[in-house]
Amino acid sequence: MAVAVLGGWWVLEHAYAGRPAPRQASAPPAAPVQVASVARANVPLYAVGLGSVQAYNTVTVRSRVDGEVQKIAFQEGQSVKEGDLLVQIDPRPFQAALDQASAKKAQDEAQLANAKLDLERYKELATRSFASKQQLDTQQAMVNQLNAQIQGDQAQIDNARTQLGYTTIRSPIDGRTGLRSVDQGNIVRATDPGGIVTIAQIQPISALFTLPEQDLPALRKAAAAGPATVWALGQDGKTVLEQGSLALINNEVDQATGTIKLKATFDNRDNALWPGQSVSVRVLLETMDALTMPADAVQRTQDGLSVYVVRPDDTVELRHIAIGPITQGVAVLEQGLGEGERVVTAGQYRLQPDTRVQVVTDGAPMTAAIGDAKPRNTVRD
């Protein structure tokens, strides 16, 4: 029996001698993540609203006299300067009226000269008692009457000259013409309601928009510090069309909507803005000096906001935080993190507390993100 046991042991010993020893279970691989460091930076805060572009000035050009249109001196959609000729109305009837008024004045001036000579004669005769005082007074009244008549003649001349000037219609502002409603050869009247053409001034140009009334204190503070910077953005809410300044905060809040109207002015040198265009308008309220981190690091949990913080030993800790505004993809930290600490910005779904991580790509510097020329919405959690 002993011999059999020893023989079995010998067989087993030699059977397993050539096999490798079993390995112990290895540690799980590190989870790949992207991280960024908490940094102090200047963070711009914006208020955003929807609005529409309107011309800085709009003029409907109308005729102030009745007459035939002899010449249309502009093209529809043409850019015009102040003083450029637009329309010429037949001036001949008005030139004739001016000539008639001038002739009437010349006639009355001749009569006045003769009346003055007669007045001097009556004065001389009166000194020698050859003319009565009544005759002298009557002649003086004639001179005064002719003087007044000449003043009336001059008024008629001025009016006729003004009416003649109205036959030449010039642009009152710099702008762009629209569709004309009158063609050459038509008869226009001063009472026509439609006018001849509309001119819109688009350099500069304005934008009307609304903001919630709770933004009013910050808006007034920004306006008091100087012209608040404003951006007009395209329909995608990101493309900057033009930069300008806040021109007006309306003097009342619309109680029906709880909003306040504002107006911004833009140079519009490249004609990026056009009257009637819908835009998103953003106003710079203030610039904060604060601790910041990418908004992508923020996790919303049942217990509130938190982030995964990378420890020096490359394990992570789930830490609760409090944040302020989020703007341009950057969150302002109020508490929970210190400057220089690293937070996970991508790959959080692989993580649990104490998970070991491997940093794949470091985040871009915070100041580069904040300095982006395209502002984004400001929100507050």
Side-chain angles (χ1 to χ4, degrees), residues 171-226:
S171 176
I173 59 173
D174 295 348
R176 186 178 291 267
T177 60
L179 298 172
R180 73 169 186 263
S181 57
V182 174
D183 296 327
Q184 183 172 326
N186 287 355
I187 301 297
V188 294
R189 302 186 183 279
T191 57
D192 291 342
I196 298 173
V197 70
T198 299
I199 300 176
Q201 184 176 2
I202 59 177
Q203 291 180 342
I205 203 167
S206 300
L208 284 177
F209 61 103
T210 58
L211 288 174
E213 62 179 314
Q214 55 263 33
D215 290 333
L216 183 57
L219 286 167
R220 294 182 59 190
K221 181 179 178 182

Side-chain angles (χ1 to χ4, degrees), residues 120-133:
E120 292 301 323
R121 295 189 186 100
Y122 278 116
K123 286 181 178 179
E124 183 179 352
L125 292 173
T127 58
R128 293 182 292 174
S129 301
F130 292 126
S132 65
K133 187 174 186 304

Side-chain angles (χ1 to χ4, degrees), residues 38-62:
V38 175
R40 184 169 294 278
N42 292 325
V43 183
L45 302 182
Y46 302 94
V48 59
L50 297 177
S52 61
V53 179
Q54 69 172 20
Y56 192 76
N57 287 306
T58 302
V59 177
T60 300
V61 179
R62 295 184 173 90

Side-chain angles (χ1 to χ4, degrees), residues 180-366:
R180 73 169 186 263
S181 57
V182 174
D183 296 327
Q184 183 172 326
N186 287 355
I187 301 297
V188 294
R189 302 186 183 279
T191 57
D192 291 342
I196 298 173
V197 70
T198 299
I199 300 176
Q201 184 176 2
I202 59 177
Q203 291 180 342
I205 203 167
S206 300
L208 284 177
F209 61 103
T210 58
L211 288 174
E213 62 179 314
Q214 55 263 33
D215 290 333
L216 183 57
L219 286 167
R220 294 182 59 190
K221 181 179 178 182
T229 304
V230 178
W231 289 266
L233 309 180
Q235 293 185 353
D236 60 0
K238 297 180 181 179
T239 304
V240 176
L241 301 177
E242 189 71 25
Q243 178 177 330
S245 59
L246 185 64
L248 168 69
I249 300 175
N250 198 24
N251 57 4
E252 64 178 355
V253 174
D254 187 341
Q255 295 182 355
T257 61
T259 60
I260 186 167
K261 291 183 179 180
L262 303 101
K263 178 186 284 189
T265 303
F266 306 89
D267 290 337
N268 200 33
R269 292 188 178 93
D270 298 330
N271 292 335
L273 300 178
W274 209 255
Q277 179 181 1
S278 296
V279 291
S280 175
V281 183
R282 291 181 180 174
V283 184
L284 178 62
L285 298 178
E286 63 174 312
T287 301
M288 297 179 60
D289 180 18
L291 290 177
T292 59
M293 68 175 181
D296 293 339
V298 180
Q299 302 292 300
R300 288 169 171 80
T301 65
Q302 294 180 349
D303 298 329
L305 302 180
S306 61
V307 294
Y308 280 106
V309 181
V310 180
R311 300 188 185 107
D313 61 355
D314 288 337
T315 61
V316 295
E317 167 194 355
L318 185 62
R319 189 181 302 176
H320 296 292
I321 61 170
I323 64 173
I326 297 177
T327 180
Q328 297 181 266
V330 175
V332 174
L333 281 164
E334 292 183 347
Q335 64 180 24
L337 291 170
E339 185 173 359
E341 288 193 282
R342 295 184 301 167
V343 294
V344 177
T345 59
Q348 294 98 324
Y349 68 94
R350 302 185 180 95
L351 304 181
Q352 294 181 354
D354 298 325
T355 299
R356 184 173 299 278
V357 297
Q358 178 184 2
V359 177
V360 176
T361 304
D362 287 336
M366 300 298 297

Side-chain angles (χ1 to χ4, degrees), residues 105-175:
K105 181 183 179 183
Q107 179 184 359
D108 291 341
E109 285 177 340
Q111 292 180 358
L112 175 61
N114 183 62
K116 286 182 177 180
L117 291 175
D118 288 344
L119 178 62
E120 292 301 323
R121 295 189 186 100
Y122 278 116
K123 286 181 178 179
E124 183 179 352
L125 292 173
T127 58
R128 293 182 292 174
S129 301
F130 292 126
S132 65
K133 187 174 186 304
Q134 181 181 2
Q135 290 176 318
L136 181 62
D137 292 342
T138 301
Q139 190 61 34
Q140 180 65 57
M142 177 64 69
V143 171
N144 295 339
Q145 179 181 350
L146 289 172
N147 274 323
Q149 193 166 333
I150 289 173
Q151 291 179 359
D153 293 338
Q154 183 60 50
Q156 291 293 328
I157 290 174
D158 293 341
N159 180 65
R161 184 175 288 114
T162 300
Q163 297 297 310
L164 177 61
Y166 289 156
T167 63
T168 301
I169 302 177
R170 300 184 180 276
S171 176
I173 59 173
D174 295 348

